[in-house]
């Protein structure tokens, strides 16, 4: 089966990522690519062949490289750290690769996946204006 990786080691190298050719970096590319395919419902995988389509958006490669770089440079996903009475805040509960909320939103938009929230305008089959008392005929 053909690789479904959305980036290559050379893409990481072009973005200044050190150790771009390490087994860890190449595994991270595969892991992030799998996350992206999952997030986009395999939008860029040909259903018949199982291979990547020819026109994968540049944004998918960019986000893939960004997430891999983040994983390599900050494997613990440390977001903030203190010194007095030491404290640490982590962006992700696990040390695995991850996509940020904004990256997920951008990928979904690029793949044509709606957020699930929208507006539907409905037309009532009858008049929505109540009759005025002067318009009502009474037989008294």
């Amino acid at each position: 089966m053909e690789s479904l990786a959305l980036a290559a080691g050379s893409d990481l190298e072009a973005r200044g990522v050190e150790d771009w050719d390490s087994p860890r970096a190449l595994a991270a590319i595969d892991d992030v690519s799998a996350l992206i395919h999952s997030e986009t419902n395999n939008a860029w995988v040909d259903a018949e062949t199982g291979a990547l389509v020819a026109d994968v958006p540049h944004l998918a490669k960019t986000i893939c490289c960004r997430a891999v770089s983040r994983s390599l440079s900050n494997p613990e996903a440390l977001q903030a750290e203190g010194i007095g009475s030491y404290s640490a805040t982590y962006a992700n509960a696990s040390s695995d690769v991850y996509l940020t909320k904004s990256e997920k939103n951008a990928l979904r938009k690029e793949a044509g996946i709606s957020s699930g929230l929208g507006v539907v305008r409905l037309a009532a089959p009858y008049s929505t204006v109540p009759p005025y008392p002067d318009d009502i005929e009474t037989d008294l």
Side-chain angles (χ1 to χ4, degrees):
M1 183 174 161
E2 189 176 326
S3 172
L4 296 178
L6 293 168
S10 58
D11 296 315
L12 295 176
E13 181 183 30
R15 288 166 173 81
V17 175
E18 294 180 22
D19 299 329
W20 58 269
D21 61 346
S22 71
R24 185 167 169 251
L26 300 176
I29 289 172
D30 288 337
D31 294 347
V32 172
S33 295
L35 282 175
I36 291 173
H37 291 307
S38 175
E39 196 64 40
T40 60
N41 297 327
N42 291 317
W44 303 303
V45 177
D46 187 296
E48 291 180 19
T49 65
L52 284 176
V53 296
D55 57 344
V56 174
H58 184 72
L59 177 68
K61 180 186 289 190
T62 301
I63 290 175
C64 183
C65 290
R66 186 183 306 153
V68 169
S69 175
R70 181 172 52 239
S71 171
L72 296 174
S73 65
N74 185 10
E76 290 85 28
L78 188 62
Q79 195 171 37
E81 195 170 25
I83 294 188
S85 296
Y86 183 80
S87 82
T89 305
Y90 297 91
N92 193 23
S94 73
S95 61
D96 298 335
V97 295
Y98 65 95
L99 298 171
T100 64
K101 184 176 181 177
S102 63
E103 289 169 342
K104 289 178 182 180
N105 289 340
L107 287 165
R108 285 189 205 118
K109 183 177 180 182
E110 190 71 27
I113 300 171
S114 69
S115 66
L117 182 63
V119 176
V120 176
R121 297 189 186 272
L122 301 174
Y126 48 85
S127 173
T128 59
V129 179
Y132 292 101
D134 294 343
D135 295 340
I136 300 174
E137 294 181 25
T138 56
D139 294 330
L140 295 176

